[in-house]
Amino acid sequence: MSIRENIQQVRENIAAAALSAGRRPEDITLVGASKMNDAAACREAIAAGIDALGENRVQEMTQKLAENAYDGAPLHFIGHLQRNKVKQVVGKVALIESVGSYELLEDIEKLGIVQPILLEVNVGGEEAKSGFAVSEVRAAAERAKSLSHVVLRGLMTIPPVAEGEHGSVPYFEKVHALYVDINASLYDNKLDILSMGMSGDYEDAVRCGATMVR
Ligand SMILES: *Cc1c(COP(=O)(O)O)cnc(C)c1O
């Protein structure tokens, strides 16, 4: 399948999942995870109408930025962000989806550049994964609210590897509930992004309220 056909197929699947849950297909943003794809492939995806591209490695992103690979679409950073690389990302991307620690929040704030972000939730409580524990997210959202250069737009999560079909659903439901609660009680319902769902489970994520899939 070509990149264009692939995007079209995923869009159709998103639309069907959205409609089955009483949601509007146009309310779901499709982010192409462009890691390991060269600049030409990125341009092809943009020409085919992908909503945004997401990179998870700073070095690869910097290289492809220099090649103008992302012209015409917003760029997201979706990977683990090391503190010594924050400077190479802040101000360069439309959204950092993977802010998973207080240190990162403070590092971003210190640069003095307004940066939209999502808080990453380690919903499975996995040792090897970054992100805030479910019990920490609310306090992190309050902290983000107090920072003038950090613009919180919502939450992102990568659930544990699913056990069987629909295995991600309980995790998606948990993060959706957290999102709705924080949005209503702290953010006047101004948060607008819940990023969850990847190749294997994005339809379930849409049915569970994701507004962005990767
Ligand atoms: C690579 C990546 C994706 C997409 O992964 P697939 O396995 O291609 O679905 C989504 N989110 C993040 C954070 C990624 O790094």
Side-chain angles (χ1 to χ4, degrees):
M1 237 197 269
S2 70
I3 287 176
R4 179 175 294 274
E5 287 167 329
N6 215 329
I7 290 173
Q8 196 171 349
Q9 182 64 61
V10 171
R11 289 260 194 224
E12 281 171 24
N13 296 342
I14 288 172
L19 292 172
S20 77
R23 304 185 58 207
R24 301 188 308 172
E26 61 269 32
D27 290 344
I28 289 114
T29 299
L30 176 59
V31 180
S34 47
K35 55 172 167 262
M36 324 257 262
N37 285 280
D38 62 11
C42 293
R43 290 191 197 103
E44 207 178 321
I46 293 166
I50 197 88
D51 296 315
L53 289 175
E55 288 290 350
N56 69 337
R57 283 183 200 280
V58 175
Q59 197 186 338
E60 182 178 342
M61 184 184 91
T62 303
Q63 165 122 32
K64 280 147 78 177
L65 270 172
E67 297 173 69
N68 301 314
Y70 314 110
D71 286 6
L75 175 60
H76 294 183
F77 190 78
I78 62 176
H80 176 64
L81 182 52
Q82 290 167 273
R83 292 185 68 189
N84 62 357
K85 295 193 174 154
V86 171
K87 230 174 150 169
Q88 293 169 258
V89 175
V90 170
K92 303 263 179 17
V93 300
L95 183 67
I96 302 176
E97 296 201 22
S98 41
V99 176
S101 70
Y102 285 106
E103 289 82 5
L104 266 183
L105 278 174
E106 306 302 331
D107 289 345
I108 294 168
E109 177 66 14
K110 271 188 223 141
L111 291 173
I113 298 169
V114 173
Q115 177 64 61
I117 67 141
L118 304 179
L119 295 178
E120 180 171 355
V121 184
N122 183 358
V123 65
E126 295 168 279
E127 286 283 342
K129 253 183 206 156
S130 44
F132 290 98
V134 168
S135 60
E136 286 180 319
V137 181
R138 192 189 166 82
E142 287 190 64
R143 181 68 191 141
K145 198 177 166 186
S146 74
L147 302 174
S148 53
H149 297 92
V150 171
V151 181
L152 184 65
R153 296 283 302 272
L155 304 180
M156 180 271 229
T157 198
I158 305 171
V161 174
E163 288 177 34
E165 230 188 324
H166 307 299
S168 298
V169 166
Y171 298 107
F172 290 155
E173 285 175 340
K174 198 174 207 172
V175 179
H176 178 253
L178 197 55
Y179 172 74
V180 168
D181 173 49
I182 288 170
N183 206 2
S185 59
L186 290 178
Y187 277 86
D188 231 356
N189 288 315
K190 299 266 169 33
L191 300 181
D192 60 347
I193 302 176
L194 178 56
S195 178
M196 54 187 198
M198 309 189 352
S199 299
D201 54 16
Y202 65 92
E203 290 153 290
D204 279 337
V206 168
R207 284 188 285 265
C208 292
T211 68
M212 184 173 277
V213 301
R214 308 176 307 265

